[in-house]
Amino acid sequence: MLEMLENNRDGILETIFGNVNHCIVVVDEQGMVSYLNESYSEFLEVDKESAIGKHVTEVIENSRMHIVVETGEEEMADMQFIRGNYMIAHRIPLRADGKVVGALGMVLFRDTEDWKKLNSHIRDLFLELESYRSKMKKLNGVDYSLHDMVTSSPEMEELKNKIKKVAPGDVSVLLRGESGTGKELIAHSIHHLSDRHREPFVKVNCAAIPDHLIESELFGYQDGSFTGAKKGGKAGKFKLANGGTLFLDEIGDMPLQAQVKILRALQEGEIESLGSTTPEKIDVRIIAATHQPLEEMIAEQRFREDLFYRINVVPIYIPPLRDRQDDIRLLAKFLLEKITKRTGKRVIDFEPEVYESFHQYEWPGNVRELENVIEAAVYLTNEESIGIQELPERLKRNHSQFDDNKSLKEIMEATEKQTIERTLKQVHGDKEKAATLLHIGKSSLYEKVKKYEL
């Protein structure tokens, strides 16, 4: 029986699913499409045979089939946006001998006219929801929610679940990660999901405020408290955020003197504006963010240890884009759609070599850098697809390094040049440190720097 099923798998699948109205897809344990029925291939407007063997994310937009394979958890009646419409999808893991060996997905629509009515109703509900979100944004200053986090990677899905767990409480959260990873989006999402969501969300960029102004910005000042003070005084960020959330971005750049006052505000629940002699009670939730190594700064006495423990109650680490390879294609498509809507240009996709270059690049600027690269490419292209020629030089070099027409020597030299370039950037041009990290002599490094004109 098992041998018959294995030998005739494709025929059996076609017999069961070939003529049904539902869209059916089957993927293997790597998320590769192993079966696609006629209804789905017609709906997607893809060649059925060419889709087989491709990763499901290359065939179906916003697919989560590969995630179901990884988690082993079924997803029933989940909404999925495909080809301009919201569909209802079932995703079921397939098991053999207790092990997940693939997944079966089904998109439901029995009658086209009924589906059009349902989809129209769903769109109307989404527009209504968007209207409410816009009103809430005006009231409390929140720009983003968790739904704005575009991802298909298991690490980011786990991060989303952690956010949902931590958001309802008043516990302080420290967001850690490189610049451009989306720390502000997560701060907004935590506030949006909290019991404080109707109250203000106030952001302070600690790195952008001069040291001599940061206390007045945070705690405010009274009328006449110093020369040039605004008549009538000014409310500080803590007071403006009272009842809501205060987001301290780049907290590692905050001067020590201000750290002392923030610690007191958190411990005592009160602030004292400049020129005032009376403390004022406040109630704020703190979300802090940094890309700096606070533990090292504590050892160097540049950051207060007691403040660190106060804000680091729940640490959340956001992985860099280079560690989220599954998200690069998905994010690129999402950002392209977002940018083309804003600019009005008709650009619908990327050439295959562009995706290849995206996956090979390190993305030191993370999602922010990816968005900037795509926006520049949209303005530069005159075609409907972005080609490698529209990318900045750093990505072109990354792609040409693996050109099939290059010799082994050329590929090795390109790799060596790129490695030295990255290392020098990492150590801010210190050649002695770079030579140590690369395990080569200093004179040898100087020769290579001259050779590659770095």
Side-chain angles (χ1 to χ4, degrees):
M1 178 69 175
L2 289 174
E3 187 179 348
M4 181 199 76
L5 289 171
E6 182 60 32
N7 293 339
N8 300 282
R9 187 194 63 172
D10 292 344
I12 291 169
L13 287 172
E14 192 60 36
T15 302
I16 299 172
F17 300 123
N19 297 312
V20 298
N21 288 331
H22 301 322
C23 294
I24 307 293
V25 62
V26 177
V27 302
D28 63 18
E29 61 270 23
Q30 275 83 44
M32 303 296 182
V33 176
S34 57
Y35 175 77
L36 190 74
N37 75 343
E38 201 67 41
S39 293
Y40 215 161
S41 62
E42 286 177 7
F43 174 66
L44 295 171
E45 294 181 7
V46 299
D47 178 65
K48 184 177 171 182
E49 298 305 318
S50 65
I52 306 299
K54 287 184 178 178
H55 196 270
V56 67
T57 54
E58 296 180 46
V59 180
I60 305 169
E61 61 182 309
N62 301 314
S63 177
R64 289 178 52 84
M65 293 290 290
H66 56 303
I67 295 173
V68 170
V69 173
E70 289 167 1
T71 63
E73 296 177 6
E74 66 178 34
E75 297 180 355
M76 305 301 287
D78 185 45
M79 268 205 307
Q80 183 176 345
F81 191 74
I82 311 176
R83 294 184 61 79
N85 290 307
Y86 290 99
M87 301 292 183
I88 307 298
H90 295 337
R91 307 180 191 96
I92 304 163
L94 302 175
R95 290 182 168 84
D97 299 323
K99 180 185 173 185
V100 176
V101 294
L104 181 143
M106 179 184 297
V107 172
L108 308 175
F109 58 100
R110 291 178 180 276
D111 182 87
T112 306
E113 290 306 312
D114 285 348
W115 171 247
K116 284 179 180 177
K117 290 176 187 175
L118 176 60
N119 189 55
S120 177
H121 179 59
I122 291 171
R123 282 180 175 275
D124 185 52
L125 289 174
F126 268 85
L127 287 170
E128 186 178 354
L129 177 62
E130 193 57 41
S131 172
Y132 287 131
R133 283 181 64 181
S134 297
K135 289 174 184 175
M136 288 300 293
K137 176 183 171 181
K138 287 177 184 177
L139 286 171
N140 61 23
V142 173
D143 290 325
Y144 310 106
S145 74
L146 204 59
H147 297 289
D148 295 308
M149 192 185 294
V150 178
T151 183
S152 65
S153 70
E155 297 88 355
M156 293 300 285
E157 289 298 329
E158 190 177 327
L159 188 146
K160 276 184 163 184
N161 290 331
K162 188 172 184 179
I163 290 167
K164 289 174 186 175
K165 288 176 186 176
V166 77
D170 270 347
V171 65
S172 297
V173 178
L174 179 61
L175 306 176
R176 309 193 71 166
E178 296 176 8
S179 295
T181 48
K183 294 188 284 293
E184 185 174 350
L185 184 153
I186 291 173
H188 280 261
S189 301
I190 292 171
H191 177 81
H192 185 79
L193 294 171
S194 75
D195 294 337
R196 297 173 179 261
H197 66 278
R198 290 188 175 88
E199 302 300 328
F201 176 93
V202 178
K203 176 189 173 183
V204 180
N205 187 338
C206 302
I209 305 171
D211 288 2
H212 66 283
L213 292 179
I214 197 159
E215 285 190 52
S216 61
E217 283 291 317
L218 289 173
F219 306 109
Y221 55 82
Q222 300 292 309
D223 187 6
S225 57
F226 56 87
T227 304
K230 184 180 177 182
K231 190 173 181 180
K234 178 184 175 182
K237 302 294 188 183
F238 266 90
K239 189 170 182 178
L240 292 173
N242 196 24
T245 302
L246 183 63
F247 176 43
L248 298 173
D249 197 12
E250 300 299 350
I251 196 169
D253 292 294
M254 181 170 289
L256 284 166
Q257 188 179 352
Q259 291 178 32
V260 175
K261 295 195 76 171
I262 285 179
L263 183 63
R264 182 191 168 193
L266 298 181
Q267 287 176 332
E268 308 297 332
E270 60 184 31
I271 59 169
E272 198 171 304
S273 57
L274 295 176
S276 172
T277 55
T278 308
E280 185 177 355
K281 286 288 181 184
I282 48 98
D283 170 30
V284 296
R285 181 187 195 173
I286 295 290
I287 301 175
T290 186
H291 70 278
Q292 299 202 48
L294 295 185
E295 293 85 354
E296 291 180 21
M297 294 177 69
I298 290 168
E300 296 165 1
Q301 297 187 339
R302 292 189 293 128
F303 198 86
R304 291 186 63 95
E305 188 173 14
D306 44 8
L307 178 59
F308 174 74
Y309 289 123
R310 179 65 65 171
I311 62 174
N312 192 43
V313 180
V314 177
I316 292 180
Y317 173 71
I318 306 141
L321 186 57
R322 62 181 169 275
D323 293 343
R324 297 158 46 194
Q325 286 289 313
D326 290 347
D327 284 349
I328 292 175
R329 176 181 285 268
L330 190 65
L331 275 166
K333 285 187 173 181
F334 170 79
L335 292 170
L336 179 64
E337 184 179 347
K338 171 186 165 184
I339 291 162
T340 51
K341 276 182 181 177
R342 188 174 71 238
T343 61
K345 285 196 73 173
R346 180 174 168 77
V347 184
I348 57 176
D349 208 347
F350 304 89
E351 296 297 329
E353 60 266 26
V354 172
Y355 283 120
E356 183 185 338
S357 181
F358 282 174
H359 281 283
Q360 290 167 358
Y361 186 58
E362 289 289 314
W363 297 110
N366 293 292
V367 180
R368 189 183 296 127
E369 184 183 9
L370 175 63
E371 183 169 5
N372 291 342
V373 165
I374 293 171
E375 185 165 12
V378 166
Y379 280 106
L380 290 170
T381 189
N382 293 318
E383 307 294 332
E384 289 192 350
S385 288
I386 291 171
I388 200 77
Q389 64 275 8
E390 276 85 50
L391 299 186
E393 287 303 317
R394 62 188 184 277
L395 272 84
K396 287 181 188 175
R397 287 199 303 270
N398 206 61
H399 178 262
S400 63
Q401 174 184 331
F402 297 97
D403 193 330
D404 290 339
N405 296 320
K406 286 194 170 187
S407 67
L408 177 61
K409 182 184 176 184
E410 288 172 321
I411 292 171
M412 289 178 72
E413 284 181 343
T415 305
E416 185 176 60
K417 179 183 176 182
Q418 189 179 39
T419 304
I420 293 170
E421 202 169 19
R422 283 182 192 164
T423 306
L424 285 169
K425 187 177 178 182
Q426 182 184 337
V427 297
H428 307 291
D430 189 323
K431 294 183 176 63
E432 194 168 337
K433 282 185 180 177
T436 303
L437 287 173
L438 293 166
H439 300 286
I440 61 175
K442 195 172 166 184
S443 58
S444 177
L445 177 64
Y446 274 102
E447 287 174 11
K448 294 178 188 298
V449 167
K450 186 178 179 182
K451 174 184 175 181
Y452 298 125
E453 298 179 349
L454 298 174

